Amino acid sequence: MSVVEIVDHPLIQHKISLMRNRHTGTREFRDLVSEVAMLLCYEATRDLPTEEVEVETPICLARTKVLAGRKLALVPILRAGLGMVDGMLNLIPAAKVGHIGLYRNEETLQPVEYYCKLPKDIAEREVIVLDPMLATGGSASDAITQIKKHGARHIKFIGLIAAPEGLKTLHANHPDVDIYVGALDEKLNDNGYIVPGLGDAGDRIFGTK
Ligand SMILES: O=P(O)(O)OC[C@H]1O[C@H](OP(=O)(O)OP(=O)(O)O)[C@H](O)[C@@H]1O
Ligand SMILES: O=c1cc[nH]c(=O)[nH]1
Ligand SMILES: [Mg+2]
């Protein structure tokens, strides 16, 4: 059974509220994206396997645990997913990073792919796909289909805010993928934006509007 989790930790709720505020500027917004990504990473990596090692502390020899060398890859969906990479790498610095470029056609809301560069050994890695916004779910679904075509079998998705439509579509298209989001919002508006949402995540991260 895959996981679909709304990680409504108080710190995440607080930081997402700051991000929703239209008066929050680019610099603060970017820091918040990174911080929330880090908090969601903590939850999404809870099931990573560990192994026992022996460590010499200043006091004695101790048997203790470290990560059991599972190889990870992060795949941000460009552009907005890029804002989540540094926060994730703070916690899992050994992860490789692939990139998938997608934008939504503003009229049809269908995702259009313009870039794909993944680690060569992606099929052997546990993959975490990153995108702050899960709106219709089309972009995340297409990105994961593309990653599966390259052989990856263990995939998780981390987003900051989801619409019910997006969560449903992603789960229906990829029932094997664990999904972690920081908030589940009310609905999509007629332009496919999440309500109440936070606006266009890419524009707010990069200051393009
Ligand atoms: O679930 P969906 O309906 O597919 O919408 C979500 C997508 O829309 C945004 O990207 P956008 O097209 O604005 O591109 P950008 O990141 O370059 O701004 C967002 O970052 C997701 O990738
Ligand atoms: O609300 C939305 C929907 C799609 N993409 C965004 O950046 N925001
Ligand atoms: Mg955008």
Side-chain angles (χ1 to χ4, degrees):
M1 262 308 263
S2 63
V3 173
V4 177
E5 188 176 336
I6 318 301
V7 189
D8 56 355
H9 186 286
L11 286 175
I12 294 178
Q13 289 181 337
H14 180 81
K15 288 176 190 295
I16 289 181
S17 296
L18 295 175
M19 293 170 66
R20 291 186 192 279
N21 186 333
R22 66 181 307 145
H23 300 297
T24 296
T26 302
R27 183 171 176 188
E28 190 187 352
F29 189 89
R30 202 184 292 142
D31 288 346
L32 289 162
V33 172
S34 198
E35 289 165 14
V36 177
M38 211 183 314
L39 292 165
L40 290 167
C41 176
Y42 173 81
E43 188 59 26
T45 51
R46 193 178 277 286
D47 64 349
L48 285 182
T50 55
E51 62 190 11
E52 276 210 353
V53 292
E54 200 164 80
V55 171
E56 196 180 343
T57 79
I59 309 299
C60 66
L61 272 184
R63 289 206 65 78
T64 179
K65 287 181 179 177
V66 294
L67 291 175
R70 186 178 284 178
K71 297 201 285 185
L72 296 171
L74 306 177
V75 181
I77 300 177
L78 309 182
R79 287 176 305 166
L82 281 178
M84 300 171 71
V85 174
D86 284 352
M88 298 284 300
L89 285 177
N90 279 337
L91 295 186
I92 40 174
K96 295 250 170 95
V97 183
H99 295 86
I100 292 191
L102 292 175
Y103 68 87
R104 289 197 314 178
N105 177 304
E106 282 178 11
E107 266 137 43
T108 64
L109 299 182
Q110 292 305 305
V112 181
E113 185 178 320
Y114 60 90
Y115 188 74
C116 181
K117 181 82 181 173
L118 301 173
K120 266 206 186 73
D121 59 353
I122 189 106
E124 295 148 38
R125 291 183 176 265
E126 180 159 323
V127 179
I128 307 180
V129 178
L130 307 173
D131 194 328
M133 309 307 275
L134 187 60
T136 65
S139 301
S141 294
D142 277 20
I144 291 169
T145 299
Q146 180 67 271
I147 291 164
K148 285 181 175 172
K149 278 188 195 153
H150 285 76
R153 286 292 163 262
H154 301 283
I155 303 174
K156 296 181 179 188
F157 175 87
I158 299 184
L160 305 191
I161 301 184
E165 297 88 330
L167 205 56
K168 198 169 156 207
T169 297
L170 179 57
H171 184 60
N173 288 335
H174 297 288
D176 55 312
V177 170
D178 292 337
I179 304 172
Y180 298 86
V181 295
L184 178 61
D185 275 11
E186 197 185 317
K187 60 177 182 182
L188 293 178
N189 69 15
D190 292 343
N191 300 320
Y193 276 83
I194 300 176
V195 179
L198 48 71
D200 188 299
D203 284 337
R204 294 199 64 190
I205 291 168
F206 296 109
T208 41
K209 222 171 226 171

